[in-house]
Each structure stands twice: as structure tokens, then as C-alpha cells.
Amino acid sequence: MDKLILVSNDDGIEAKGVHELIRSLQHLGDVVCVCPESPQSGMSMALTVNMPLRVKRLPDYHGAQMYRVSGTPVDCVKMAVDNLLPRKPDIVVSGINHGSNAAINVVYSGTMGAAFEGCAYGIPSIGFSLTSHKEDADFTPCMPVIDTLVRLVLDKGLPDGICLNVNMPANMSEYQEMRVTKGCKGRWNDRYDQYTDPAHQPFYWLAGKFINEEPENEDTDEWCLEHGIVSIVPVKLDPTYMHSEEFSWIPNKLSQ
Amino acid sequence: MDKLILVSNDDGIEAKGVHELIRSLQHLGDVVCVCPESPQSGMSMALTVNMPLRVKRLPDYHGAQMYRVSGTPVDCVKMAVDNLLPRKPDIVVSGINHGSNAAINVVYSGTMGAAFEGCAYGIPSIGFSLTSHKEDADFTPCMPVIDTLVRLVLDKGLPDGICLNVNMPANMSEYQEMRVTKGCKGRWNDRYDQYTDPAHQPFYWLAGKFINEEPENEDTDEWCLEHGIVSIVPVKLDPTYMHSEEFSWIPNKLSQ
């Protein structure tokens, strides 16, 4: 039986990145693409619980069935697995995101939201991102990276509850180096730019820049990306921190 | 200097749970409450990047400054820390959520989104949830649990990058038992109920129920809640899975 490949993203069904992703996967199996109808950057694992969803089938693209859903990346994966696909897919591939999802960005990323949701269903899942925000970015160098990793994951699977966050540098070389690494320590140095609307009311827009707190650490995704290396970070869906002995100061009962 | 306590939630500024939370914290320091203007259940760590935000100061409640923000729980914490508070708060307390955030629900939860965001700023952070979805749920038994845990965390702090996911059973006893535990293995057995709108177009609504895959495991949050025990799960913001040796089948270079 041919492999069944579910594709999603967070930039929406019209983004260049998802079309390039479909083209890079079409020879590996039957591709079904279920994407948000509107851009969903920064939507993390948000899901729609208090609203209905709409689904629309669009014309096929390079042999892939195309659906758009009026929700988030997580909604797309749920709708695909629960309602649209003939069986559980062999892999969920999300992206190609326009922009990096390295370091702390993995937790805000809608691209990774879709991958984590695939993981929640027990399906091997990968999110791919290119460190370029350009709408017309050149995704050609991504193709062999995606081909290699998707083939390997279809063959080897992934540990239960783990998916892959793959970030590709915009300046990739011909014989591309890749590294299994970890998310670097860092944070967003946020600020809100303030504006005044025509009715003299203030509104705010998130700005700021990412601060890498360990720029010299070679064993991080940001270091890899800065040095032209594809970073592959295995990430865990369940956030439980297992060291309960560190919390011995929490009593077993309320004091009376 | 008095402690500065930031309160947020995902049920929105009008929810009973956050008002009860403020009342349970008012004697522990200066409380500032920054909440979404509309319900944000299931919003995870979603943040608003492509839209402006509005902020409105509301009348104080039990001595707490009250703000509503036209965004997600993560937006509320960012706006508070970056723009509204006089200094970094000593603690972020999110909730009290109307409904459980145990097991896999932690990753979809907007209540925990706010707590994780506090954690991303390096602020000790706790999310509190009550396993009752009733709008008029009785939060009185939550008060001593919250008082005890917030005092302890203000005193002891939390490990870097770790926050607490606290779930309280609706049927709590007088001398309440609490346990530091882990998220249970389980998944949502989702389905989409299909309807037809007045224009004869289909729409879908997420339904389904949670399947506990280890109901006999006493060392899980779901077991605690089913047995009337408050579950306290330490959770990690950074999802990196550190066992890179499990991925030795990933090559360092693309095959040529």
C-alpha cells in the first residue's frame, strides 16, 4: 500500500511553502493537504472549541488532494485524521514555514502545532521551516533535506510522543550538513509599539527581537542555523518535568 | 516591598474563576489582573503577531487593578510585563480555569499558556484549574490550596523553565490532600459532529471524549483527580527531547 502523507502548515493554503512541500513529497506516497484558510502564524497548539468549522475541497495540486479549513493548524490535523482521510496517515509533515521556528519559537509555532498534533495521534510527525520570511523565498535547497528526512522517518518511525522540529538555513550548501541538536536558551526582548487610530484611541503592536543566551554553544539549533547547518531538534509533546524530588517542599496536605 | 502578583486567565475578564482567584490572592501582595476580553479556551500559547491589540483599564476589583486585552492569554502576560506593570512581577498566577487542564489538555490550555509565558520571562508561574465547567462553580474549597501554593512558590521559587499545572477536583475535602505527580498518558477520541446551516452548507463542531490510557496508575494527575486529590504537575517550557543518541540513523550530510 502506498504511504499516506498528511501535509499541513500555519501560513495558510495559499502560501508558497506548502506548495513546495507538496512537490517535494509527491513521489513518496499519496499526499493529502489540509491547511488553514488564513495565516495562523504564532497559533501554537490552539484549537477551536467554541466555534464551528468550515471545510472546502479545492482543486488538486500536483496530484495532492487539497482542503482548506476555517481554523488553526491543530484543527486542520484533527479534521483530516477524524473526518477527511480514509485511514490514519503514515506521517504528518507541516510547513514549509516562512521563517525560523528554532529556540523558544517552537512553542508559539503553528507549524509545530500541527506536528505536535500529529504526534498526539501517535503519527510520526515533522515540522519544516526555512529561516526566510520572504513570500517568494527560494525553497529549492529544502527539497533534498525534506526528501531524506521524510524517507528516513517513514522507514524508522519516531519514539512515542516525540516529533521533529527541522529548521533550514536560507543559505544552504549543495552537500547539506544536518545536525540533531537542541533548542538554544534564549528569549524574546519584546516591546509593544504604540499607535493612535483615527478616532484618537491607542492600539499596540508586538515588536522586539530574539536574544540568544548561549551564542557560543555549538550544540544548539541557533548555532547550527547561523553556520549554515540544518538543525533537527527532537521535541516532546508531554511537558511533564519528571523530577518531583525537587518539589519536596510542597506538603501532601493543607496545613490545618 | 510588597509582592507584585500578575493574574491572568483564558476564560476572559468576566469569568467567575478569575474574580475568585483575585480574592484568594489579595492579602498576599499587590494584584494586577490582565485578562482577555473574550473567552480563549484552547488557545494554548497562541500569540497575536499580525494584528494590533487594544487594552482597556476597568474599575478595580478587591484592590486589584483590572485590564482587559483584545488578545490571547499569552498576549495578556506579554502586555502586562512589557507595558503595564511597574516592574517584573514576583509571580504569575493564571486561572481559576473552569474545567480540567490535566493530562494532554495542558498543551491546549490557554490557562497554562499564560503560565508558560510567565515562565518564559523567568517568573515563577502557576496555572490553577477546577474540574468543573459550571459557570457558577463553587471555588471556595480552592482558596486554601491557592493560598498555600502561592505562598510557597513566592518563598521557594521554581526551577528555571519550569511552572506548575495545578488541577483541583470539584469534590475537595476539608483537609485537602495534594500530590506532585505527572500528566497521565491519554488522548482525545475526537470526532466532528456535522450540521447543515440555513443555506444548506455543512459545518462541523469538535466533539469527543478523553481516553485515559493508564487509569490504574496512581502516579498520574487523572488518578489523583478521580480520587479527590489536588494534582500538581511541574511542566517544562522547553520541549527539547535530550536523547539525541536515539536518532543516530539521521546522517550528518545529505547523501550525494
Side-chain angles (χ1 to χ4, degrees):
Chain A
M1 191 162 53
D2 277 352
K3 298 292 187 186
L4 180 58
I5 300 172
L6 172 61
V7 163
S8 194
N9 79 343
D10 75 351
D11 290 317
I13 190 85
E14 293 172 3
K16 182 179 178 188
V18 76
H19 291 89
E20 298 289 309
L21 181 58
I22 289 166
R23 293 203 300 119
S24 73
L25 295 171
Q26 61 182 353
H27 59 289
L28 296 178
D30 294 330
V31 178
V32 178
C33 174
V34 184
C35 286
E37 67 181 19
S38 61
Q40 299 281 313
S41 287
M43 284 305 275
S44 187
M45 288 195 73
L47 85 173
T48 303
V49 286
N50 294 320
M51 292 263 292
L53 293 176
R54 301 278 195 176
V55 181
K56 187 168 169 60
R57 175 103 187 243
L58 304 175
D60 289 2
Y61 177 78
H62 278 261
Q65 290 180 28
M66 303 290 285
Y67 296 89
R68 72 166 194 232
V69 173
S70 63
T72 67
V74 163
D75 292 333
C76 290
V77 173
K78 283 189 183 294
M79 182 63 75
V81 176
D82 295 338
N83 219 39
L84 298 174
L85 296 177
R87 60 182 175 89
K88 196 162 147 177
D90 295 293
I91 192 167
V92 173
V93 188
S94 180
I96 306 169
N97 192 61
H98 295 241
S100 168
N101 281 316
I104 182 75
N105 301 302
V106 64
V107 301
Y108 302 115
S109 163
T111 302
M112 287 308 299
F116 277 122
E117 184 60 28
C119 190
Y121 280 103
I123 305 164
S125 301
I126 314 179
F128 287 102
S129 305
L130 179 69
T131 63
S132 165
H133 278 283
K134 291 182 191 159
E135 268 187 48
D136 64 343
D138 179 15
F139 290 94
T140 317
C142 302
M143 301 297 186
V145 176
I146 293 169
D147 181 82
T148 299
L149 290 174
V150 169
R151 278 177 196 274
L152 278 167
V153 169
L154 281 170
D155 181 38
K156 305 281 186 184
L158 287 172
D160 191 36
I162 308 295
C163 56
L164 299 182
N165 179 24
V166 179
N167 284 273
M168 297 174 279
N171 57 336
M172 283 194 284
S173 62
E174 190 178 358
Y175 301 117
Q176 183 56 50
E177 199 178 337
M178 313 193 285
R179 194 174 293 179
V180 177
T181 183
K182 64 183 187 195
C184 92
K185 284 187 190 162
R187 64 194 159 77
W188 280 90
N189 195 0
D190 294 320
R191 64 166 201 278
Y192 282 92
D193 289 346
Q194 183 170 342
Y195 304 78
T196 305
D197 73 14
H200 310 293
Q201 298 299 309
F203 64 91
Y204 302 86
W205 212 296
L206 184 62
K209 66 172 191 169
F210 178 74
I211 310 291
N212 183 344
E213 290 175 348
E214 45 178 358
E216 304 304 320
N217 188 344
E218 299 187 12
D219 188 21
T220 65
D221 51 4
E222 288 287 348
W223 192 93
C224 289
L225 294 169
E226 279 165 28
H227 292 77
I229 301 166
V230 173
S231 79
I232 302 167
V233 178
V235 286
K236 198 163 182 276
L237 174 65
D238 177 1
T240 298
Y241 179 69
M242 298 300 281
H243 305 275
S244 60
E245 73 281 0
E246 294 178 22
F247 302 89
S248 56
W249 43 269
I250 296 180
N252 292 326
K253 276 184 188 282
L254 288 183
S255 51
Q256 296 167 31
Chain B
M1 190 163 56
D2 277 352
K3 297 293 185 185
L4 180 58
I5 300 172
L6 172 61
V7 163
S8 193
N9 79 343
D10 75 351
D11 290 316
I13 189 85
E14 292 173 4
K16 182 178 177 189
V18 74
H19 291 89
E20 298 289 308
L21 180 58
I22 290 166
R23 293 204 299 120
S24 73
L25 296 171
Q26 61 182 351
H27 59 288
L28 296 178
D30 294 330
V31 177
V32 178
C33 173
V34 184
C35 286
E37 67 182 18
S38 61
Q40 299 282 312
S41 288
M43 285 303 277
S44 186
M45 288 194 75
L47 84 173
T48 302
V49 286
N50 294 321
M51 292 263 293
L53 293 175
R54 301 279 195 175
V55 181
K56 185 167 169 61
R57 175 107 187 239
L58 303 174
D60 290 1
Y61 177 78
H62 279 261
Q65 291 180 28
M66 303 290 284
Y67 297 88
R68 72 165 193 231
V69 173
S70 62
T72 67
V74 163
D75 292 334
C76 289
V77 172
K78 282 189 182 294
M79 181 63 75
V81 176
D82 295 338
N83 219 38
L84 299 173
L85 296 178
R87 61 182 175 87
K88 198 162 148 176
D90 296 292
I91 193 168
V92 173
V93 188
S94 181
I96 304 169
N97 193 61
H98 295 242
S100 168
N101 280 316
I104 183 74
N105 302 301
V106 65
V107 302
Y108 303 114
S109 162
T111 302
M112 286 309 298
F116 277 121
E117 184 59 30
C119 189
Y121 280 103
I123 305 163
S125 301
I126 313 178
F128 288 102
S129 304
L130 180 70
T131 63
S132 165
H133 278 282
K134 291 183 190 158
E135 268 188 46
D136 64 343
D138 179 14
F139 290 93
T140 317
C142 303
M143 301 297 186
V145 176
I146 293 168
D147 180 84
T148 298
L149 289 174
V150 170
R151 278 178 196 274
L152 277 166
V153 170
L154 281 170
D155 181 37
K156 305 280 186 184
L158 287 172
D160 191 34
I162 309 296
C163 56
L164 299 182
N165 179 23
V166 179
N167 283 275
M168 297 175 280
N171 57 337
M172 283 194 284
S173 62
E174 190 178 358
Y175 301 116
Q176 183 55 52
E177 200 178 338
M178 312 194 285
R179 194 174 293 180
V180 177
T181 182
K182 64 183 186 193
C184 93
K185 284 185 190 163
R187 63 194 162 75
W188 279 89
N189 196 358
D190 294 322
R191 63 167 201 277
Y192 282 92
D193 288 345
Q194 184 170 341
Y195 304 79
T196 305
D197 73 14
H200 310 292
Q201 298 301 308
F203 63 92
Y204 303 85
W205 212 296
L206 184 61
K209 65 173 191 167
F210 179 74
I211 311 291
N212 183 344
E213 290 174 349
E214 45 178 359
E216 304 303 321
N217 187 345
E218 299 188 11
D219 188 22
T220 65
D221 51 5
E222 288 288 347
W223 192 93
C224 289
L225 294 169
E226 277 165 30
H227 291 78
I229 300 167
V230 173
S231 79
I232 303 168
V233 179
V235 285
K236 197 162 181 278
L237 174 64
D238 177 0
T240 298
Y241 179 69
M242 298 300 280
H243 305 276
S244 58
E245 73 282 0
E246 294 178 22
F247 302 89
S248 55
W249 42 270
I250 296 181
N252 292 326
K253 276 186 189 281
L254 288 184
S255 51
Q256 294 166 33

